[in-house]
Each structure stands twice: as structure tokens, then as C-alpha cells.
Amino acid sequence: MEVLHSEIPSGVGSKGKIRLGPESERKLLLKGARWAVEEGYGDISDLERIESGGCIEGANPDLISQKAYERGRAQQGTLGSGNHFLEIQYVDEIYDEKSANALGLFEGQVTVMIHTGSRGFGHQVCTDFLEVMERAVKKYNIELPDKELACAPFNSSEAQDYLAAMRAAANYAWANRQCIMHWTREAFLRVFMAAPKELGMSLIYDVAHNIAKIEEHVVHGKKMKLIVHRKGATRAFPPGHLELPDIYKHIGQPVLIPGDMGRASVVLIGTEKAMSETFGSTCHGAGRVMSRHQAIRQAKGRSIYREMEDKGIIVRSAGRETLAEEMSEAYKDIANVVDVVHNAGISKKVARLRPMGVVKG
Amino acid sequence: MLLFNMTFEVLDISGDAGIRAYGKRCEDAFMNTGLGMYSLMTDIDGVLESQEKDVEVRSDSAEGLLVGFLNELIFQFDTYGFIGRRMEVTAFSIQPSAYIKAKVYGEEFEIGRHEQRLLVKAATYHNIKVERINDEWKAEVIFDI
Amino acid sequence: MTIEGLKRIDENRIEIPKDYKAGMKTNGIIFVDSALEKALEAGSVAQVANVATLPGIVGSSLAMPDIHTGYGFAIGGVAAFDLKEGIISPGGVGYDIN
């Protein structure tokens, strides 16, 4: 845990180990996780286990503001803060033996889960384009019940520009997790004196959960191309889907649902029903029940660090407040959330993972 | 210069955080929102005034100006690690076209020396308020955390 | 808290009917059981209904059981739009892209 905490930059104001020049940042935005692999972070075989191969086509670096470039320059390979984390976990229950086998999961096995995104780069892209959209709403006379739904007709230049910029940010996120995964493997190599391959540290899957994508879906019996927005929702494609890698075609797309740091995370797979009912989507996490300040108030006089340690979970966190905000009680129980999507049939439970060590920003 | 220090309060919203700030003049309320935001990120009493940054933002509304101003401060922090503890507004108008020019005094954030609190991603238009109440100004903004 | 005007479809889903709010082009569906329904915020339900008013929405305005209030669109929201008639919105993706 010490090595992971020192090797992977996290928390407010942390600086990354990678400094991107203008040309390499452009390349990264076009290539995503592939850029990271070409730079020596990870293995080419990782890519097929990433949604969209870790690189969504149609990103356009020319549409990125100077500000976003500057903000992104030093944040590649950083975890961030808030609900972002890196966890060492173990598999404590298998729900679906066949799928677990295909994913290479078995009871008692150690896993690592990484939750982070496009960092300040993506935040800047969103900030920049909310302004563009605000103007577009007026220009195209779109009536909205809430100003915050600012949008543009899909075929407009504003919409196409956003799509291309958002794709660049999505690629930034895929590259970011790829770099962090690489350093995680290196940390294990250093501590256990064994190569990632010997330790069996292969990637299970990498999914996005804040993205808009053009996808083909069947609506009223007719195939249609749609722009599917998933905001805090995970793609959950069924067995046989063209976008799945061969290794997972027979079981369906793996779905990773991080829970809070004290309880559990769950691995699921996508289903046909998700395809017909939710545009191939499922949940993405636990969801808060307590505001940050409620949580901080509740945690007053308690040592969340100690409480976690008593449960056998080692935590390394930069901020004391972050730890309080992120305590278990601040979140819905992941089990309840996952049971709903499982019982509704829009994804299927495969395995439960319990945390042992948590790096928090 | 008058320092309306600590004339802000933290708003409690599920998942996110906000600042409500007051000031004698509208620019004071803006400034206090900025200081309030910095206090979400760290304990600003521990910040030295060894650097200064000039910030200039334009917008077509008062609300847009506040969001733009705070997003500029977030950008300076996220990109250069610059965190402020005091500011002076040198030019200001909320009439269109609205603008703000400010000098922010602070330093580069240093892990270990500065407390790491919240990572503020962006200032949003969600329930944003810039209003005059009697002879005081109030500004309210919610951040994406 | 129970929110008025919502209809339970089955054990795992509730519906926001099309007449819940003026301008809705389709219904909303939230995946929650009766226990999680109690944790629903009025604000996030209104957001699912708001998304149903957007031009070119296809199918229902959907939300997953981990729904909570977000910027414009609820977090946990899924919405699909037609490429000809529909829109794209940064609020439907959020700040933390990917």
C-alpha cells in the first residue's frame, strides 16, 4: 500500500509524473490507451479488454481549448480526489461460475480496481462546451425546462464539435487508467519480486461511465443509430455483441461496479434485456445518501482510518476530510443497487470483491 | 483595502458543495465566493502571499461572470497549482458586457505543507444567484466536486 | 419519502408517466425497488422528467438505481436521441468525462 500510495499521484494539488508536450498531448487525445501502451505503459494485449479498445474514433484535438491543453499537461497518470480511488480487493463470492471462469476470477483471488477519469482536462472540456451550448440553445431556439440541459441539434456544428472534443477527453481518461494500471503492476513487481505475468495481473476489463456514444439499437423492431448518453451509467452489452472482444463474446460484456470503500464492489455482465430495455446500460456505483458535510459531521470525533483498519482495510488518503466524506454510511449499500439491476435482468452478477487496501485522493 | 474575510458559508448539497458569500459591493461578494472556494480546497490560513496572479474575465451576464471568474481560479489551481488567500478587484461591472479584473495573492500549492481538502472540478450555473439584498450583495454558487 | 404521480411497473421499476410534466415527449423509467424508492430525491425525479422533454428522445428517459441529482441530467441517467431530430448535451455526460 505504501508503494502504491507513493507511486500513484493522488489528492488535491498532486502532480503527475508525466509531462506532456503539445505534440504528445495531441497524440494521446487521438489514441487513448494505445498512446499509453506505445509509450511503454502496459501491454498491447490490454487494449482488447478496454471498452472501444481504449480509443474512440472521431476525436479532434483541434477543437480543444488552450486551457484544456494546459490543464491536461501535468495530470495524465493521476488519480484525482473525491470518489476516485485505487483498491486492492479479494474475490469473496462467486455468483456465476461460468462467467467468472471466463473472466479468470475465482474465490480468494486478489484483484485491483482503479476508478478515475479524464481529470481536469475533461472538466475543462465540459466547462468550455457548456458555454458553447448556452449560445446554441438561443441560436436554434430550443425550449428547455431547465437551463442546465443546454444542448444542440445533433447535426449542428456545435454538437459535432462537442462530440469530437468529448471523445478526446474520453481517450484522455482511457490513457490515464492505462498509465495508473501500469504503475500498479510495477508496484506489485517491486514488492513481490515477480513479473505481472507471473502474478497473473492481466486486465479484466475497463469501462466508461460518463460518455455519449453513437450506437446501433433496435427500436420498435427497427435498427436505428442513436446517440446514447450515459451519465453515471455503464454500458452492458450482451453476449455475441460485435463490440465485444472474442474472449468475452460468449459471456457478455464485463461490467465493474465500484461500491464504497468499506463494503464491496461487484463484477457483472451485460444481457440481452439491457439491450432491449436500457440501450445496453446498467448502474455505475452506489450513489450517495449523505451529503459531504453531513458525512464530515457524522465522522466528527471518530477515526474513519481506525474503523477501516479494524475491518482489516488499510487506507492511504491525502485528506482527512476526503476519508470522512467517503465513509461507507455516506453511500447506499452497493448490494441493494446491484440486486435491482440483477433482478430486473439488465445485467447479471458474477462476483463480489471485498476491499483490503484503499488509496484515496 | 477592506477585507471581508470569512464572509461566506459552505452550502450542503448531496454529492457536491457550494458557497454563499456576502459583500458590501457586488465585487466583494464575488471575491468572497472565490475565497470561500479556496477554503473548500485547503485551509487558506496556511497559504502565503508570495505570488500574485492577474485574472481577467468577461461575460454577458452577472451569473456568467461569477462562473467564469471562479472557473478561471480553478484553472489556475489545476494547471499551475496556484492557490490564493487574498484578492483585490481592480475593475468590475455586472452591466453587459460584464467584466472583472482582479489581483489574487497566494502561492503554489505544496502537498504536506497545505492541507488537501476537496478537489473542485468546476463552478456551475446550478441554482446560481447574484443579488442585492438591502445594502448588501449576495452571491451563491454550486461546484461540481 | 414518496413522490406523487409515480407508478410502480414491477418490483424493480417505477414509471414517470408522460403527463407527469408538461412537454414530456415520452415517459421516464427509474430502476428502483421499494426500498431504494424511499431514497429517491424529488430533484432527481424531476431531472429524469426534464430529459423526457428534449427534442428527438427515443424510448424512455431512463435512470438506474444509483440515481442522484446532477447537473441538468440526473447521475445514473441514460437517454438516447435520434441522429436526425435529436440533440447532444454536455450535461448528459457530466464533468468527469469517461
Side-chain angles (χ1 to χ4, degrees), chain B residues 38-107:
Chain B
Y38 282 137
S39 77
L40 291 173
M41 300 168 164
T42 191
D43 175 6
I44 57 172
D45 289 339
V47 175
L48 304 174
E49 292 182 26
S50 57
Q51 282 180 30
E52 53 179 79
K53 278 259 175 200
D54 291 311
V55 176
E56 192 175 348
V57 179
R58 282 171 193 281
S59 176
D60 45 20
S61 68
E63 291 79 13
L65 188 67
L66 181 59
V67 167
F69 173 59
L70 296 168
N71 277 331
E72 179 63 28
L73 299 182
I74 292 169
F75 169 76
Q76 293 294 340
F77 175 76
D78 219 28
T79 311
Y80 305 109
F82 176 81
I83 187 137
R85 71 165 286 161
R86 185 170 71 84
M87 40 186 119
E88 279 166 22
V89 176
T90 51
F92 186 84
S93 168
I94 48 168
Q95 302 311 320
S97 133
Y99 64 88
I100 183 167
K101 262 173 95 166
K103 238 184 210 335
V104 188
Y105 300 90
E107 64 171 325

Side-chain angles (χ1 to χ4, degrees), chain B residues 105-134:
Chain B
Y105 300 90
E107 64 171 325
E108 196 177 323
F109 190 87
E110 200 183 299
I111 292 175
R113 198 157 59 79
H114 293 125
E115 188 188 342
Q116 290 175 279
R117 289 185 183 165
L118 282 181
L119 188 116
V120 178
K121 291 177 194 165
T124 75
Y125 285 93
H126 187 69
N127 290 343
I128 190 163
K129 284 183 193 110
V130 178
E131 48 193 32
R132 189 187 183 139
I133 301 163
N134 301 324

Side-chain angles (χ1 to χ4, degrees), chain C residues 28-39:
Chain C
I29 293 176
I30 305 178
F31 284 75
V32 280
D33 58 14
S34 54
L36 286 173
E37 185 181 349
K38 291 195 189 91

Side-chain angles (χ1 to χ4, degrees), chain A residues 2 120 242-243:
Chain A
E2 293 300 338
L242 281 174
E243 290 220 16

